[in-house]
Amino acid sequence: MSERVLVIGSNGQIGTELVAALRLQYGQSNVIASDLKLPLVANEPFATLDALDKTALYNLVKKENITIIYLLAAMLSATAEQQPAFAWKLNMESLFNVLELAKEKHIKQIYWPSSIAVFGPTTPRTNTPQYTIMEPSTIYGISKQTGERWCEWYYNKHQVDVRSLRYPGLISYTAAPGGGTTDYAVHIFYEARKNNTYTSFLDADTALPMLYMDDAIRATLEIMNADSSKIKIRSAYNIGGISFTPAQIATEIQKHIPNFTINYMPDFRQQIANSWPQSIDDSYASNDWGWKHKYNLQEIVGIMLANIK
Ligand code: NAD
Ligand code: SER
């Protein structure tokens, strides 16, 4: 029998593309998309679901015979700083709801994304190792770091097959990003096309690790499809791709739009970015299950500008 997959938070930046990729793997009818509200474009099968509603989640899992859950619902770094109490509730309780379903053997596998936000200002910032000082200074980062510890605990104590990646900033054009500190690297393309200019909320020289969405989706499927014996880290794996600054991405855009200009008006997100790694050592993911990123900055800029009109 084919697996039955539930994606929670499917209308977002990652969910929009992950659902399509999962449907190629498992078949359209075996992947149930779900979110708080109906999607903007038809996305069947779809169920409205609040990840915080434990009973509704249980009922949906039973009704649809779900075996695997991808939990994407969360509040991201910038928004979470504005609503810390609710961000904590959403990011933690939704995870517990899913981990408990697996502990009680209602489902057999979980994917839950972590983030580079688990690192903090005391972490070595270049080529940040898998194992290092982790003192996150944002509510989002604290929730992801805590979530990682719970995932590992549920695996060790209850053999819950939960897998996770520490995504860097993700770049895509299918759905808008949902309130993160790395979102400038998506917004910049829309403003370049619309107004030939962009005002960055991060300073010119703020380097952050980034990944093109196709790479992120491939990494997600690769870790989930890998033999369990290869997944030696049950908190979350570092995955890296490229690393660039607002000034560097602007220079690359100028190769396509020569009169494009960029200004800098750093806001509260600058402090968040300053606390995160500039580049990531993902050698554990490479060694354990063969991870390797594909897209470089030049390719990403070309693809983004070709698809945003
Ligand atoms: P997003 O904000 O674009 O999408 C999240 C989706 O969850 C939205 O469609 C939203 O409606 C839905 N949602 C919110 N509350 C919900 C609830 N109570 N019940 C059901 N659905 C709810 O986020 P994203 O960028 O797609 O991120 C998905 C996951 O990946 C998050 O855990 C995020 O922390 C993580 N992540 C994302 C990035 C990135 O750059 N996009 C980087 C690192 C980690
Ligand atoms: N892209 C995410 C954010 O900026 C990183 O987790 O919040």
Side-chain angles (χ1 to χ4, degrees), residues 8-15 34-37 49-52 71-76 86 90 112-116 140 144 166-170 176-179 182-183 213:
I8 304 174
S10 61
N11 294 354
Q13 190 193 7
I14 299 174
S34 74
D35 208 295
L36 282 174
K37 291 188 191 146
L49 174 74
D50 181 349
L52 295 176
L71 173 59
L72 304 179
M75 201 175 275
L76 276 79
F86 185 69
L90 174 61
W112 169 82
S114 185
S115 161
I116 53 163
Y140 176 67
K144 291 294 185 187
R166 292 173 183 152
Y167 291 134
L170 302 183
T182 57
D183 293 8
M213 186 61 85

Side-chain angles (χ1 to χ4, degrees), residues 36-55:
L36 282 174
K37 291 188 191 146
L38 287 173
L40 293 175
V41 286
N43 184 18
E44 291 300 325
F46 180 89
T48 47
L49 174 74
D50 181 349
L52 295 176
D53 187 340
K54 200 173 172 177
T55 307

Side-chain angles (χ1 to χ4, degrees), residues 5-20:
V5 181
L6 175 64
V7 179
I8 304 174
S10 61
N11 294 354
Q13 190 193 7
I14 299 174
T16 305
E17 305 210 23
L18 183 61
V19 166

Side-chain angles (χ1 to χ4, degrees), residues 184 200 202-207 244-249 262 264 266 270:
Y184 91 85
S200 170
L202 299 183
D203 255 333
D205 298 326
T206 311
F244 58 80
T245 65
Q248 286 167 331
I249 193 172
I262 185 164
Y264 301 97
Q270 183 67 49

